[in-house]
Amino acid sequence: VCVCRRTRNLFRSAAEAGPHDILKLYNPRGNIINICPGLEPNSPDSLYKLEVLAANCHSEPLGVQLSGAVGFDLSSMEKRLQGLEKKILFEATETPAVVHEMKQQVDLFREKLESMEHLSWLGLFKDLSERTQKASPFYHKRALRKTPEECEHVREKYLQMSSLEVSEEVRQYLKTPTFDNWYWEDAEIMVLLQLMYSDLDFITTFKISPEVLQQFLFEVYRRYNNIPFHNFKHCFCVTQMMYGLIWLTDLRTKMDSIDLLIMLTSAVCHDLDHTGYNNTYQINARTELALRYNDISPLENHHCAVAFEILEKTESNIFRNVTTDQYKRIREGIINCILATDMTRHSDILSRFQSILPTFDFNNKEHKDVLMMILIKVSDISNEARPMEVAEPWLDCLLQEFYNQSDAEKLEGLPVTPFMDPEKITKPSSQTGFIGFVLLPLFIELANLFPCLEQHIVDPVRKALSYYTEMEKAYEREKKNRAGSMFLVVVAPSSGHRPSHRALTTYRILSHFLIQC
């Protein structure tokens, strides 16, 4: 009755709805919402949409409409389950524990469903307080390219979820650097990316059709490969960090919507069709990409090209309703941002930012362009700003990709990249130098412009540096202990007699080995 009073205008327009009908209710944005006493009243200018899913569901067998909607007759299934339960009870003399457990799960699910403020897939099925089950960092152990079947399966799941309301808890969590990407499937990630475009008002401002945005995000997903690090989850992490930085620094009041659109879309597209081998490999191996782009940022140029291949298709062109001048600006901005992720340009871009920082002006186009490049660079290498349980699996993925390239370089007789060679680096040694000489200086400079970022990204990176420094010291101590143990066993002379020729030979071999270590 309370719901009917609050939605009186709506129900008058759907007079056929009766007390035994099954209904779906949509808010003005088209999201399914829960019909509950706490429902906000609508108005003639902001109407809910009511859909009668099935009518007269008290009749046997639950109504033909409902059976058609769900694909089977629920009444018949219920009777069959009751029969099976009686049969189990008769044969086992008591109800098995597994049946009790299943009943408890159903009851818990019913209670959760009835208490939901919003009928939300990501709120209903995602318990953010329990994040014990995570996808393996090495989920990539499949063929390099995604199969059509794999893509279609994810696409169907994404489209089923795409119109459902995302809970407020998830919305706020998505704006923080602490967001845990390992907890989300690819289809859910696409829903979250769609939410970012919506929450930043890009859909309204640039007249982006929801169907076009969905097709764009699917094409992006399809063009990220199954490799250890530079995969679709990495694309999401970079985009999510960019999205968080936009909110944390209140960039919506400092930069116009086109700049924000450029940065978010650049993050989405920045590693499209990466195959897991960096520019050094591309150039040394004289790959097709290196030849095509004359050894100048081969990968980054390729990522740009793939992005605009997607955007050339009408059905996935999220910029098809912008003006010619706007598109020219967007294209230039995306190219500049993606090319900025080439680490060979790191020092140059950071130096430019440091030179303009004392007099930084958001009304100066050159200043804004450099800031946009800095922001995507920070987002691209921001894993260590995340909680350790999120960041460390990403390091494992990165090292796996490094080792894969090192193996390929050795097999093909190419120069071996030193920081990718497992014979020359360890997990902590790979991080201490990178964090100390690359991450921290970059993050600190950005925090000089936005002091609020000190606690959000600079402090966590400092903690990460301390963590890996201590780990590296522990590695060194363990190495010395092992070497010392071997030395004592080999060198300690036997009292009362001269060492044998065999013992001396063994000593020389092991001494040589220890010196090499």
Side-chain angles (χ1 to χ4, degrees), residues 318-337:
I318 57 175
F319 306 135
R320 68 184 187 183
N321 291 324
V322 302
T323 66
T324 302
D325 288 342
Q326 285 177 324
Y327 181 79
K328 183 179 178 181
R329 179 177 164 189
I330 290 169
R331 176 170 162 80
E332 178 187 353
I334 289 176
I335 292 172
N336 285 339
C337 283

Side-chain angles (χ1 to χ4, degrees), residues 255 263 336-337 340 348-357 360 364-377 442 446 449:
M255 301 174 73
M263 290 192 295
N336 285 339
C337 283
D348 175 56
I349 294 171
L350 182 57
S351 296
R352 288 175 63 189
F353 184 62
Q354 289 169 327
S355 68
I356 63 176
L357 195 54
F360 191 89
N364 185 314
K365 182 182 183 303
E366 181 186 354
H367 289 194
K368 283 197 300 181
D369 288 346
V370 176
L371 175 61
M372 290 163 69
M373 291 191 286
I374 288 290
L375 285 168
I376 194 168
K377 284 177 60 58
L442 177 65
L446 184 61
L449 182 62

Side-chain angles (χ1 to χ4, degrees), residues 425-478:
I425 65 162
T426 62
K427 183 174 179 176
S429 69
S430 70
Q431 285 301 92
T432 51
F434 182 70
I435 295 174
F437 295 106
V438 178
L439 248 62
L440 263 181
L442 177 65
F443 283 31
I444 288 171
E445 292 300 342
L446 184 61
N448 286 335
L449 182 62
F450 302 109
C452 64
L453 295 182
E454 184 77 25
Q455 69 176 98
H456 291 292
I457 63 173
V458 177
D459 287 347
V461 170
R462 285 198 176 103
K463 290 178 183 177
L465 178 58
S466 176
Y467 172 79
Y468 286 112
T469 300
E470 289 303 313
M471 185 187 290
E472 187 170 20
K473 290 177 181 177
Y475 268 51
E476 289 300 320
R477 287 194 298 269
E478 179 64 22

Side-chain angles (χ1 to χ4, degrees), residues 141-175:
K141 291 183 177 177
R142 303 191 295 268
L144 176 67
R145 311 289 183 190
K146 295 184 175 80
T147 65
E149 294 77 17
E150 179 184 359
C151 292
E152 189 57 32
H153 175 68
V154 172
R155 181 175 181 273
E156 287 177 2
K157 288 183 69 175
Y158 166 48
L159 293 178
Q160 287 171 1
M161 300 180 198
S162 61
S163 63
L164 299 179
E165 186 81 2
V166 177
S167 67
E168 186 61 27
E169 182 184 12
V170 173
R171 286 173 179 266
Q172 294 306 317
Y173 183 38
L174 191 63
K175 296 175 181 177

Side-chain angles (χ1 to χ4, degrees), residues 215-445:
Q215 186 62 30
F216 168 74
L217 293 174
F218 170 69
E219 290 294 335
V220 165
Y221 159 77
R222 192 172 67 84
R223 299 300 291 269
Y224 274 94
N225 294 319
N226 294 319
I227 54 178
F229 185 85
H230 294 95
N231 49 49
F232 184 60
K233 275 186 167 57
H234 169 68
C235 147
F236 170 73
C237 283
V238 176
T239 309
Q240 186 270 323
M241 183 59 73
M242 177 68 81
Y243 176 73
L245 292 174
I246 289 171
W247 285 104
L248 288 171
T249 58
D250 196 24
L251 281 182
R252 297 184 74 191
T253 64
K254 301 177 177 71
M255 301 174 73
D256 61 31
S257 294
I258 285 190
D259 291 329
L260 302 183
L261 178 65
I262 288 169
M263 290 192 295
L264 197 76
T265 307
S266 297
V268 169
C269 299
H270 84 284
D271 271 331
L272 280 167
D273 199 36
H274 200 300
T275 56
Y277 299 97
N278 72 1
N279 281 332
T280 301
Y281 174 87
Q282 304 292 334
I283 294 167
N284 289 338
R286 301 176 185 174
T287 64
E288 180 187 346
L289 291 183
L291 295 174
R292 182 184 304 164
Y293 296 110
N294 302 311
D295 295 350
I296 301 171
S297 303
L299 284 174
E300 290 72 26
N301 275 297
H302 180 59
H303 305 325
C304 287
V306 175
F308 284 100
E309 281 178 19
I310 293 171
L311 292 165
E312 278 298 303
K313 299 177 183 176
T314 304
E315 64 273 17
S316 55
N317 183 6
I318 57 175
F319 306 135
R320 68 184 187 183
N321 291 324
V322 302
T323 66
T324 302
D325 288 342
Q326 285 177 324
Y327 181 79
K328 183 179 178 181
R329 179 177 164 189
I330 290 169
R331 176 170 162 80
E332 178 187 353
I334 289 176
I335 292 172
N336 285 339
C337 283
I338 294 180
L339 291 181
T341 61
D342 183 352
M343 287 304 294
T344 62
R345 301 183 58 200
H346 175 78
S347 297
D348 175 56
I349 294 171
L350 182 57
S351 296
R352 288 175 63 189
F353 184 62
Q354 289 169 327
S355 68
I356 63 176
L357 195 54
T359 58
F360 191 89
D361 181 4
F362 279 99
N363 294 317
N364 185 314
K365 182 182 183 303
E366 181 186 354
H367 289 194
K368 283 197 300 181
D369 288 346
V370 176
L371 175 61
M372 290 163 69
M373 291 191 286
I374 288 290
L375 285 168
I376 194 168
K377 284 177 60 58
V378 167
S379 300
D380 189 23
I381 55 177
S382 63
N383 282 331
E384 295 306 332
R386 299 182 185 276
M388 191 56 65
E389 64 270 18
V390 180
E392 197 163 5
W394 274 117
L395 176 57
D396 294 332
C397 293
L398 181 62
L399 290 176
Q400 183 62 49
E401 200 166 290
F402 283 177
Y403 297 159
N404 289 348
Q405 177 169 324
S406 178
D407 290 344
E409 288 169 336
K410 292 172 183 177
L411 285 171
E412 297 170 26
L414 301 172
V416 179
T417 307
F419 66 85
M420 295 185 177
D421 190 346
E423 297 177 9
K424 295 181 179 178
I425 65 162
T426 62
K427 183 174 179 176
S429 69
S430 70
Q431 285 301 92
T432 51
F434 182 70
I435 295 174
F437 295 106
V438 178
L439 248 62
L440 263 181
L442 177 65
F443 283 31
I444 288 171
E445 292 300 342

Side-chain angles (χ1 to χ4, degrees), residues 100-149:
H100 278 300
E101 185 180 346
M102 291 174 67
K103 284 185 173 182
Q104 287 176 353
Q105 290 177 0
V106 170
D107 289 339
L108 286 172
F109 185 81
R110 182 186 294 114
E111 289 175 12
K112 188 172 183 180
L113 181 62
E114 290 173 351
S115 64
M116 285 293 295
E117 183 177 351
H118 297 287
L119 185 56
S120 159
W121 178 277
L122 297 186
L124 188 61
F125 294 98
K126 287 292 179 187
D127 187 352
L128 298 180
S129 63
E130 297 180 6
R131 299 181 204 139
T132 54
Q133 294 185 348
K134 294 184 179 182
S136 166
F138 300 107
Y139 76 100
H140 61 277
K141 291 183 177 177
R142 303 191 295 268
L144 176 67
R145 311 289 183 190
K146 295 184 175 80
T147 65
E149 294 77 17

